[in-house]
Every structure is written in structure tokens, then in C-alpha cells.
Amino acid sequence: ASTALRAFEDELGAQPPLGFFDPLGLVADGNEAKLNRLRYVEIKHGRIAMLAFLGNIITRAGVHLGGAIDLSGREFSDVPNGFAALYGPDAIPREGLLQIVLFIGWLELFVMRDVAGTGEFPGDFRNMPLGIDFGWDTFSEEQKFQKRAIELNQGRAAMMGILGLAVHDKLGGSLPIVGDL
């Protein structure tokens, strides 16, 4: 098993101080296809967590979309932050949540997907219908590896960050920068 794990010592994400970290032994057999699938999922969850964390911080800072959230004229700014936006008397209307879920499903099925054989690496979504690549092809291989490692680390940090905000939201209290929860 240790020989199989050494096969991933130089993989993206195997960074100091832990190196390659697989405490549950999910790829102890050295299966590269399984590692690529787990990396794809980790990158996708990291991207979602970055958006969730940023959205949480921005709305808590008082920045909201303008206009009404429903036909009764209730403003976006009237929707509470955190879990209270999903549950409770002032929560987003059920129809609004359904729209959000359907939009995310549409993105998952038609936009944010890895078309087999077209991506350079797991999580490469430059095959989107718009064909946007933001200059990726101008980077050297070393720069690409560094940028992918940065995204992976920021995603990991965001996953911990949104988890922390969710826990504190349920516990209540106050946090620096974020304020009252």
C-alpha cells in the first residue's frame, strides 16, 4: 500500500506540511482513475464553497441585489442571512428555492461539466458553450500547475470557512468582520 501511495507523492495537492494526505485510504490501491474522480469532486466542491463563503460574507456586509424577491414586493435585503434565509418566517419563498435548485441543476448538466476527452485535467471546464479560457493557453506548464494548486488550496480553505460560518450561524454569537450571527 505504501508503494501505491508513493505513486501520488508528486500529484497536485500533495503539498507541505502533509504531503499526500489520504487518511481514509481511498486511493491506497494506487488507482489513478479513482484519484482523478476524487480530485474532480474536490475541485468542484471547492469552487462551490468559494462562492458560498463569498456570498455569505457579502450579504452579511449588507450588500444585496436590488429589487423585489417576490411579487408581493418583498426586497432582497429583507431576506435574513445564513440558515434563516432557508428556514423560518422570512425565508426565501419556496418557489424561489425551486428556481435556485433548477438553475444549479441546469449549470451542472449543461455548463459546468467535463466533456470526456477535451479537458487537460480533472475539473477543466474550458469546454463550456461560451468557450472562455481567460488566457490559460498562454501559461507555461509550471504556471498552470501553480495556479491549479492555488485553486485547490483556496477551495480547501473555503470549504473549511463555509463550514465554520455554518456552525457559528447555528451556535449564534458574534465573529470579527462577520459580526452577529
Side-chain angles (χ1 to χ4, degrees), residues 60 82-84 87 163-173 181:
R60 287 184 187 280
F83 285 115
Y87 312 107
L163 178 63
L165 286 174
V167 168
H168 283 285
D169 188 43
K170 292 307 275 180
L171 292 175
L181 296 173

Side-chain angles (χ1 to χ4, degrees), residues 102-113:
L102 290 174
F103 179 66
I104 291 170
W106 179 81
L107 287 174
E108 181 77 20
L109 292 173
F110 300 109
V111 179
M112 302 303 289
R113 59 192 185 108

Side-chain angles (χ1 to χ4, degrees), residues 1-132:
S2 66
T3 305
L5 289 179
R6 280 192 217 126
F8 301 129
E9 280 181 347
D10 295 326
E11 276 294 321
L12 177 72
Q15 299 161 340
L18 297 177
F20 182 74
F21 186 63
D22 183 21
L24 300 177
L26 297 174
V27 290
D29 59 357
N31 185 335
E32 189 172 355
K34 190 188 304 182
L35 175 71
N36 287 341
R37 172 68 183 149
L38 291 171
R39 181 56 39 89
Y40 171 81
V41 171
E42 180 181 18
I43 290 170
K44 192 174 244 187
H45 282 94
R47 289 171 178 168
I48 293 166
M50 286 187 260
L51 291 171
F53 184 84
L54 187 61
N56 197 305
I57 296 296
I58 287 173
T59 55
R60 287 184 187 280
V63 178
H64 299 275
L65 293 174
I69 192 170
D70 58 21
L71 296 176
S72 69
R74 194 170 91 181
E75 299 287 320
F76 280 99
S77 58
D78 295 335
V79 176
N81 298 317
F83 285 115
L86 302 175
Y87 312 107
D90 296 327
I92 297 171
R94 190 174 340 158
E95 296 82 3
L97 285 176
L98 179 63
Q99 289 175 11
I100 292 169
V101 169
L102 290 174
F103 179 66
I104 291 170
W106 179 81
L107 287 174
E108 181 77 20
L109 292 173
F110 300 109
V111 179
M112 302 303 289
R113 59 192 185 108
D114 192 8
V115 177
T118 59
E120 286 182 43
F121 51 86
D124 181 4
F125 297 144
R126 289 178 295 142
N127 52 24
M128 297 186 321
L130 301 176
I132 302 170

